[in-house]
Structures are given as C-alpha cells and as structure tokens.
Amino acid sequence: MLPKSDIAKLLDTIDRSTVKGKRGYASMLLGTVLGLRACDIVALKLADIDWLRGEIRIVQAKTANPVILLLTQDVGEALKDYIPS
C-alpha cells in the first residue's frame, strides 16, 4: 500500500481539464478512497450511485457480495465533474 503522500502526488499529476483526465481522476479516487477493484470501477453504472443517500451500491465482481459504500465528498465531486450533464 502506498503512503497517502504518494497517492496525493499521483493524483496531482492527472490533468483534470480533459474528459480523459476527469475519468482517470474519478477512477483513481474510487480505487484509492473507496477501495474498489478495477473490474468494479469499470462496471460501475449511474444506477449504482444513490446521490440522495450518499452511497454506492454494487455487487463485487470477484466475490459476488453486495456492498454499500459511503460516497465521500471528494469522490462524489470527481464523479459529478466527469459525468456529462
């Protein structure tokens, strides 16, 4: 596991002025903050995000276990920034 300072440095290198960068930043936050696996990030759908309750609800690909994760402010803002309005 990387130290938080290294993760912060990595996130700072992402160019969030492009759609690709916004997607990359949101994906990295989903992995580093919420601990989602890459396969679960790729499979994430808008319907999995409950904006009102502040939750992400998925069934993990690896374990088939349902999981409810707290949608943190930073992850939520990154997702909103990436998702076209």
Side-chain angles (χ1 to χ4, degrees):
M1 183 168 182
L2 290 174
K4 287 183 181 182
S5 60
D6 288 350
I7 293 170
K9 288 177 189 175
L10 176 64
L11 290 171
D12 285 342
T13 65
I14 299 172
D15 178 5
R16 292 184 278 166
S17 67
T18 67
V19 174
K20 186 177 176 181
K22 290 175 184 183
R23 180 187 65 211
Y25 185 74
S27 297
M28 290 294 292
L29 283 183
L30 286 164
T32 59
V33 174
L34 300 184
L36 286 177
R37 294 180 180 96
C39 58
D40 294 325
I41 294 170
V42 170
L44 190 66
K45 299 178 286 302
L46 279 175
D48 298 331
I49 305 169
D50 186 334
W51 298 101
L52 296 177
R53 288 192 173 144
E55 299 174 341
I56 295 178
R57 296 169 176 259
I58 63 164
V59 175
Q60 289 181 318
K62 182 176 180 179
T63 64
N65 290 330
V67 176
I68 301 172
L69 301 166
L70 176 65
L71 180 61
T72 61
Q73 184 174 352
D74 53 349
V75 174
E77 289 175 3
L79 288 170
K80 285 179 187 176
D81 193 35
Y82 167 61
I83 297 169
S85 45

